[in-house]
Amino acid sequence: TGSYSLTPRASLPLGSKYLILKLNSAQQLRESSSANNTLAVAVTVAAPDLVMGQITAPSVISWGQTVRPTWQVTNSGTVEAAAGWYDYLYLSQDQAYGSGDTYLTYFTGTPLAAGASYTASPYSFTFTTQVSGDYYLLFIADAYYNYQGETNDETRGANNNLVAVPVHINAGPDLTVSATDGPASGSPNGTVELSWTVSNSGGSTGAQWYDTIYLSTDTTYDYNDSSVFSQYYMGLQLTPAQKALL
């Protein structure tokens, strides 16, 4: 008597099938007869069906904005979704996932009974992708290599795991320094007064940044230049066309 446990591949064909046990399958043992070496057992191969829906997400996102969307995944199949899997969120120029889409955040799925649902509350993210215009947020259940086999996903020629939601991305900031004021010379351990004007010709800043002054032998910054002063700006909001004297 033998007893074994196995996990079927996610890509197995569905429906009424047979499990066939074949003894001495490599024919390493000489037998008087091999006609009685097989046994067929009727089985039904079923799978869950993860469906993405019930999405909450902003319709407009600005650079530096903290975003935490939510979504709901339902198992509309007739059997449990027993594997672990990952739901992913991407930023895309169209409604189909491609390798050039930008990853934003994820949620870890858990075993889900037939007919059951969960609401994903993933890690929040700060939007710093340098794009603007009209895009799509792609919400994909079981996005990472299809850990959970299903009756309806991209491996079977259809896909209800993905929902594309339109989103407008506001232009990011574009800081420009001008109107610098300071002495023409200085001495070691001496004190100098410096000021400069920062203009924003892009979208709202919405985040913190550093302005740094370097001592250089030429007019072009490189890693050999020495930092002599750094100013941290936290919560300074420069909307388009605004200036700040610093």
Side-chain angles (χ1 to χ4, degrees):
T1 299
S3 177
Y4 300 93
S5 296
L6 59 88
T7 300
R9 299 190 309 274
S11 58
L12 281 177
L14 304 177
S16 298
K17 309 294 177 184
Y18 291 91
L19 288 178
I20 298 178
L21 172 62
K22 181 175 178 59
L23 304 180
N24 194 23
S25 58
Q27 297 182 346
Q28 294 172 302
L29 181 66
R30 289 185 177 271
E31 300 182 66
S32 59
S33 173
S34 61
N36 57 357
N37 282 26
T38 60
L39 176 66
V41 178
V43 296
T44 298
V45 181
D49 183 15
L50 300 179
V51 180
M52 173 65 72
Q54 297 293 321
I55 292 168
T56 301
S59 59
V60 179
I61 297 178
S62 298
W63 193 92
Q65 179 179 339
T66 299
V67 182
R68 190 174 188 180
T70 63
W71 58 85
Q72 185 180 88
V73 174
T74 301
N75 178 9
S76 65
T78 59
V79 296
E80 179 188 24
W85 63 87
Y86 296 95
D87 301 340
Y88 274 28
L89 173 60
Y90 292 93
L91 181 70
S92 177
Q93 292 181 305
D94 53 41
Q95 300 183 55
Y97 170 74
S99 59
D101 295 339
T102 302
Y103 163 81
L104 296 175
T105 190
Y106 79 98
F107 184 79
T108 303
T110 58
L112 197 60
S117 302
Y118 65 77
T119 297
S121 183
Y123 293 104
S124 61
F125 61 93
T126 300
F127 190 86
T128 56
T129 305
Q130 295 294 337
V131 297
S132 62
D134 294 324
Y135 282 78
Y136 291 91
L137 295 173
L138 302 185
F139 296 81
I140 310 176
D142 189 23
Y144 190 67
Y145 296 127
N146 296 302
Y147 281 172
Q148 176 61 66
E150 301 179 55
T151 60
N152 187 355
D153 62 19
E154 55 267 36
T155 64
R156 304 185 192 279
N159 190 356
N160 57 9
N161 294 46
L162 185 154
V163 173
V165 176
V167 63
H168 181 79
I169 308 299
N170 287 330
D174 183 9
L175 302 181
T176 303
V177 61
S178 62
T180 58
D181 184 27
S185 62
S187 59
N189 296 321
T191 299
V192 296
E193 292 186 3
L194 302 170
S195 65
W196 59 95
T197 299
V198 175
S199 303
N200 178 18
S201 59
S204 298
T205 53
Q208 62 271 13
W209 73 89
Y210 285 91
D211 290 349
T212 303
I213 298 174
Y214 295 90
L215 185 65
S216 177
T217 58
D218 54 37
T219 60
T220 303
Y221 167 77
D222 62 45
Y223 66 91
N224 292 314
D225 297 337
S226 300
S227 171
V228 296
F229 177 79
S230 187
Q231 178 67 52
Y232 176 58
Y233 301 103
M234 180 177 178
L236 178 61
Q237 297 285 339
L238 278 183
T239 57
Q242 279 192 322
K243 295 183 179 180
L245 178 62
L246 307 171

